[in-house]
Every structure is written in structure tokens, then in C-alpha cells.
Amino acid sequence: MTRYPVAAVKLSHDIVETLVERGPTGVTAVAEALDVPKSTAHDHLRTLEAVGYVVNESGTYRLGTKFLHLGETARNSHELFVNGREEAHALFEDTEGKYVQLVTEENDRCGVLLAAGWRQGGHTTGTPGAYPSDLHLHTNAPGKAILAYKDADTVERLVSETGLPPRTPNTITDEERLLAELETIRDDGYAVDEGELIAGMTGVAAPVVADERVRGAIAVYGPSGAFEATPGSSGLAETVRQSARTIEANLIFTPE
């Protein structure tokens, strides 16, 4: 079990995550969700309110807009976003009816820096809410593209630590199957997601590798019925790979 050096910080994190999942929530509901005394939950919420990260509206707490500043600051200073956003938007314009992700890897998880074209609740799958982020690498095309370019020891550690939990019935949960697919991804230069992240959605992603290090991935997703053929045979995979190469060149040749 993971041990946290400062347990109080972890509890504040869990309270924020509870508000993310539930929306505006009262103290009692937060305490019950985390199995902590109501007084403890109240103290953490009041502290988060005092520093501006939550807002108290007649006893119900919600996330504050201060998180927007944090997110924008983190994204706008990220080298993959700086060097890849224009290409990601260009790819979105070239793939009408689909949407594009620019994905990095942080702390062994996917972090979505850009999701061009994603509309909350606007897809045929009926998927609600913001685009899924903070994902296990094995559950989606860009994550698998990144994972394929990690060394064997790193992959083994990640598999051991995560246990390959599923997001949908199509998510790869078998280690041998995952390792075989990662080898195929390295050979082909792209990864495919057939409903592994979101049921009814297909994606193809290419890794962004610069200076012999995988920096992230770029992906195109859409409803499975929107693909006229498999991504590899339709030419979409090569289009995505070309976008990855453009971003790689930007990373290599852009002065620091």
C-alpha cells in the first residue's frame, strides 16, 4: 500500500477529487465519502476555501476557478503543448468529424494537454462530461504508443503496479497480450484503440519521440462507425505519424 509522507495533504487531495467527481457537495457527504470525521472534513474544506481553491455556497462546497490558472500554467509551459498545439489543430482540421488529442505522460499516467473537437455530451456514444484524463497508459491509443517506447523494466514495473485495470470490456488486461501489442506498435509506428477507453470510440495514435526519448503522443479519435476502414489501411495512421514527425522536428529544432 502506498504511504504518503504528509497524510493531511493526501486527505485534502482526496477532498478535491471528491468535489471533482460529485460536483458541489456538503461537509457531511464529503466526510461520509472519505470515511473521516465531519470535523476533519470541515477543517480541510475551510482551509481550501481560505487559500481560494474551493468556494462555500451556503454550506455546499465547489471547486474554485483558481484551478483554471493552475491548469493553464502547467499546460502552457509544457514543451509538448508549445511545440505541438499548432500541428494538433491542423490535424483536427484535416480529419473532419473526428477529434484530436495531444497527450503527455506524467507519473506513469496519461495527461491530456489538448482535446481539439471534443464536445461534452455531443458524441454518438453519449459520453458526458469533460474528456477523460489522468488515465492508465494501457487503456488508450496514445498511452499505448507512449508505453511501447518505454524500456522493458519500466513496462514491467507499471504492469506490476497497476494490475492493468479495465475501463471498458475491450481494455487489454492480459500482460502477454499487452506486450505483444506493444511490439506491434513499435514495428508499425502507431497504436490503435478499439473501444478500449470509451465504448464505441476508435482511435489511432503515434508516439512523439525526440532525442531518443518519448515525449508523448498525438491521436485522432472518433465514433467507430466514422472510420471507413481500419486506421492502418485507411491512411489515417500515416497521417497521424506525419503529424508526430512534425512535432518531433519542432522539439528538436526549436531553441530552448
Side-chain angles (χ1 to χ4, degrees), residues 28-256:
T28 301
V30 170
E32 290 176 350
L34 299 176
D35 193 24
V36 297
K38 183 177 177 181
S39 59
T40 300
H42 192 212
D43 287 345
H44 280 260
L45 285 164
R46 288 178 59 203
T47 302
L48 288 166
E49 178 189 6
V51 295
Y53 288 110
V54 303
V55 177
N56 181 358
E57 295 179 333
S58 302
T60 298
Y61 290 85
R62 64 169 174 82
L63 298 179
T65 56
K66 195 170 183 178
F67 281 105
L68 290 173
H69 175 70
L70 289 182
E72 288 181 354
T73 299
R75 182 193 65 179
N76 293 344
S77 60
H78 197 288
E79 63 173 5
L80 183 63
F81 180 77
V82 171
N83 290 283
R85 58 184 168 183
E86 290 187 7
E87 181 61 28
H89 284 294
L91 181 60
F92 169 64
E93 294 296 327
D94 290 341
T95 54
E96 185 177 352
K98 301 177 180 64
Y99 61 94
V100 171
Q101 305 169 23
L102 194 60
V103 178
T104 187
E105 176 262 324
E106 293 181 334
N107 299 322
D108 300 332
R109 308 271 285 196
C110 290
V112 179
L113 296 170
L114 184 152
W118 176 263
R119 300 184 304 279
Q120 295 190 14
H123 297 283
T124 57
T125 57
T127 304
Y131 185 80
S133 188
D134 189 32
L135 304 164
H136 289 295
L137 295 169
H138 72 281
T139 63
N140 57 91
K144 290 188 294 183
I146 293 169
L147 195 57
Y149 285 80
K150 296 285 187 180
D151 62 80
D153 289 342
T154 298
V155 174
E156 182 179 354
R157 175 183 60 81
L158 287 174
V159 170
S160 175
E161 290 178 355
T162 67
L164 302 180
R167 276 191 61 93
T168 75
N170 289 341
T171 305
I172 296 175
T173 58
D174 178 77
E175 181 177 354
E176 289 188 8
R177 181 184 166 199
L178 176 64
L179 294 177
E181 181 155 339
L182 295 182
E183 184 175 351
T184 299
I185 292 167
R186 286 190 291 272
D187 290 340
D188 295 342
Y190 65 91
V192 176
D193 170 357
E194 293 283 3
E196 297 161 48
L197 175 64
I198 301 173
M201 302 295 283
T202 295
V204 58
V208 176
V209 182
D211 296 326
E212 299 183 350
R213 178 165 62 92
V214 62
R215 307 296 187 91
I218 187 167
V220 172
Y221 268 83
S224 297
F227 291 82
E228 297 180 359
T230 60
S233 63
S234 67
L236 179 60
E238 183 57 28
T239 299
V240 176
R241 289 176 63 188
Q242 289 289 350
S243 289
R245 293 187 188 111
T246 298
I247 298 171
E248 290 168 357
N250 292 342
L251 285 164
I252 292 169
F253 295 111
T254 298
E256 296 184 359

Side-chain angles (χ1 to χ4, degrees), residues 14-27 29-30 33 45 54-55 57 59-64:
D14 292 345
I15 288 173
V16 169
E17 289 295 305
T18 299
L19 299 183
V20 171
E21 294 171 2
R22 299 191 174 201
T25 309
V27 176
V30 170
L45 285 164
V54 303
V55 177
E57 295 179 333
T60 298
Y61 290 85
R62 64 169 174 82
L63 298 179

